Amino acid sequence: MLKIDSRSCRALHNIDATRRIEDAAQVALPPHTLMQRAGLAVAQLALAIAPHAQRIWIACGPGNNGGDGLEAAMHLQRWGKQPIVSWLGGADLAPPDAAASHRRAIEAGVTFAEIPPDSWDLCIDALLGIGAHVRAPAGRMADWIERINAGTSPVLAVDLPTGLHANTGHAVTPSVIASHTLSLLTLKPGLFTADGRDVAGTVWLDDLGVHPKSTSREGTSPTAWLAGAPLTAARRHASHKGSYGDVAVVGGAPGMTGAALLAASAALHAGAGRVFVGLLDGGSLTVDTHQPELMFRPVHLLDFKTMTVVCGCGGGDAIRTPLPKVLSTSSLVVIDADALNAIASDAQLQTLLIARGQRHAATVLTPHPLEAARLLGTTAAKVQHDRLAAAQQLAQRFDCTVVLKGSGTVIAAPGQTPVINPTGNARLATAGTGDVLAGMVGAHLAGGLNAFEAACQSVYQHGLAADHWPIGVTLVAESLARHAPSGP
């Protein structure tokens, strides 16, 4: 059993892939083996997270997820605990494995209660598993979920918190809000993006002794990867500023100069050799006395062919003027904010963007959900409903790397298995942090990483800085730009 943290890269499998892995294991193992292993794992984790708990309410659904809970109840009963099972199933209607577990729990002397107890030391949510839920829980199940969420004791979800979609991370109402989730067989993408991180709590994995790599079934490859800490090499002693590339930030329309300066500062502190700033406000600045390393140039004097261009931060409508030249001449581009909005509303700009992919020019788009929705011609709600799919659609449509920002940022690119980022928190929900990320991606591109690697590394480090932010100190974008971990 593993506690999942942000340091190690982990494979994520969607419902279909998990089912195939499960089916292959069922063929290779004696009947009922997986459910017995799952129940034991749940019981063991219950003891680990709440060692002093005596009264344990186990809410069991009618299917095999409920069977896992029944198995756990049997072990907890034998270990001297007081499990109380509320079961929505029936012996005549339950799947064979769950029915067998019900018989075993009865034989072990487990207490069953139609009405949930008034109090408990630990709750185990074994209501629903990885099925594709199309409707919100109703009736008794909904009532039980509300009881679970109203309690003050730890909640351990079996495989997924009930109401959370395994593939997308979309949580219906009501959904269980767990303090811990034990994912069985595989890790599911939905635990780490959209609503997943809010409802899953601390995530654990028990593969039940089944290793996907050992199966010969098609369709068991990872759906996505949970990003791990990037490997960074030390800078060579015999290097110089030219070794790490030039970044040009193009943005900062009137009233929005700060966005461009934040991106430029982030690029500088993320390791770019030189950083140029081309403001679109008529040249209000020629020097930043707080960061004299930044070099200000009129946009028309910047040589986009030799630079990594970060385009759009605070650009407003003014970004439409330089954007065609940026798209058509620069070999390395990060497109953010108002540049994304301009492309979404202009078919000619979309054609130029697609042409970049055809000539293998590196491009990274960094939209938040609303910007992604504009590019896809849909709504932000639909993007959030399936973030993995939306990021992949954008990557395919525009033939580039896409960073779909948000809880569990998704990085996608043609021909790549998408990556979900595990770092970051709600401290990043403040103005300017997206500009900082765009600058970091630009620095890593200029330093020699390919577009996908630059995006993955930047997003990870951006979130890691927020995770390490001092408690009680407000995170503001200017400080983030200066303190985010750098690349080589």
Side-chain angles (χ1 to χ4, degrees), residues 299-311:
V299 174
H300 69 275
L301 295 182
L302 293 172
D303 184 1
F304 296 149
K305 294 180 181 179
T306 63
M307 298 173 167
T308 297
V309 182
V310 177
C311 186

Side-chain angles (χ1 to χ4, degrees), residues 110-184:
V110 170
T111 299
F112 285 77
E114 289 288 328
I115 299 175
D118 293 329
S119 63
W120 53 86
D121 303 318
L122 171 71
C123 176
I124 297 176
D125 163 29
L127 289 169
L128 293 176
I130 63 172
H133 315 308
V134 294
R135 288 182 291 185
R140 282 200 298 164
M141 184 178 292
D143 291 340
W144 292 3
I145 291 172
E146 291 176 0
R147 283 177 178 255
I148 292 170
N149 291 341
T152 58
S153 300
V155 177
L156 170 58
V158 178
D159 213 16
L160 290 164
T162 295
L164 181 71
H165 196 288
N167 290 354
T168 68
H170 174 69
V172 297
T173 301
S175 294
V176 167
I177 301 174
S179 53
H180 296 265
T181 296
L182 176 59
S183 195
L184 299 170

Side-chain angles (χ1 to χ4, degrees), residues 31-392:
H32 203 227
T33 298
L34 286 183
M35 187 166 288
Q36 291 182 27
R37 291 179 181 178
L40 177 60
V42 171
Q44 289 172 334
L45 183 55
L47 289 187
I49 64 177
H52 302 298
Q54 288 297 318
R55 190 175 174 86
I56 302 172
W57 176 34
I58 308 178
C60 293
N64 285 331
N65 194 254
D68 296 339
L70 292 166
E71 283 288 323
M74 177 195 68
H75 291 292
L76 292 168
Q77 178 78 18
R78 289 175 178 171
W79 297 341
K81 301 296 183 180
Q82 300 171 27
I84 301 171
V85 172
S86 300
W87 189 36
L88 290 173
D92 296 334
L93 299 175
D97 279 353
S101 293
H102 175 253
R103 291 192 296 271
R104 285 162 55 84
I106 293 290
E107 293 169 0
V110 170
T111 299
F112 285 77
E114 289 288 328
I115 299 175
D118 293 329
S119 63
W120 53 86
D121 303 318
L122 171 71
C123 176
I124 297 176
D125 163 29
L127 289 169
L128 293 176
I130 63 172
H133 315 308
V134 294
R135 288 182 291 185
R140 282 200 298 164
M141 184 178 292
D143 291 340
W144 292 3
I145 291 172
E146 291 176 0
R147 283 177 178 255
I148 292 170
N149 291 341
T152 58
S153 300
V155 177
L156 170 58
V158 178
D159 213 16
L160 290 164
T162 295
L164 181 71
H165 196 288
N167 290 354
T168 68
H170 174 69
V172 297
T173 301
S175 294
V176 167
I177 301 174
S179 53
H180 296 265
T181 296
L182 176 59
S183 195
L184 299 170
L185 277 180
T186 66
L187 289 173
K188 287 75 179 178
L191 291 167
F192 303 100
T193 194
D195 299 314
R197 290 181 62 183
D198 283 323
V199 302
T202 301
V203 177
W204 304 73
L205 169 67
D206 196 307
D207 65 12
L208 307 182
V210 176
H211 307 290
K213 290 181 180 179
S214 68
T215 67
S216 58
R217 302 285 293 270
E218 292 184 1
T220 58
S221 299
T223 306
W225 289 92
L226 188 67
L231 299 175
T232 56
R235 290 190 167 194
R236 292 179 62 244
H237 194 278
S239 62
H240 51 84
K241 62 187 177 184
S243 304
Y244 305 103
D246 291 345
V247 172
V249 176
V250 178
M256 295 183 285
T257 304
L261 294 181
L262 286 169
S265 179
L268 183 69
H269 289 90
R274 297 189 299 177
V275 180
F276 296 83
V277 184
L279 295 177
L280 301 174
D281 66 353
S284 61
L285 290 176
T286 57
V287 66
D288 182 344
T289 57
H290 295 289
Q291 293 185 110
E293 303 90 346
L294 301 179
M295 292 173 281
F296 292 80
R297 299 286 189 275
V299 174
H300 69 275
L301 295 182
L302 293 172
D303 184 1
F304 296 149
K305 294 180 181 179
T306 63
M307 298 173 167
T308 297
V309 182
V310 177
C311 186
C313 301
D317 287 338
I319 200 66
R320 295 178 182 273
T321 299
L323 190 51
K325 182 180 177 183
V326 169
L327 293 174
S328 59
T329 63
S330 178
S331 61
L332 305 171
V333 172
V334 181
I335 302 175
D336 186 45
D338 292 316
L340 295 170
N341 294 328
I343 291 169
S345 62
D346 191 317
Q348 290 183 333
L349 292 177
Q350 292 176 26
T351 299
L352 289 175
L353 177 57
I354 293 169
R356 291 184 58 79
Q358 295 171 347
R359 64 176 185 271
H360 307 292
T363 309
V364 181
L365 309 185
T366 57
H368 56 54
L370 181 55
E371 291 161 347
R374 289 168 180 155
L375 288 165
L376 289 171
T378 183
T379 65
K382 289 182 178 180
V383 168
Q384 289 293 82
H385 192 80
D386 194 341
R387 290 169 51 78
L388 267 174
Q392 289 175 293

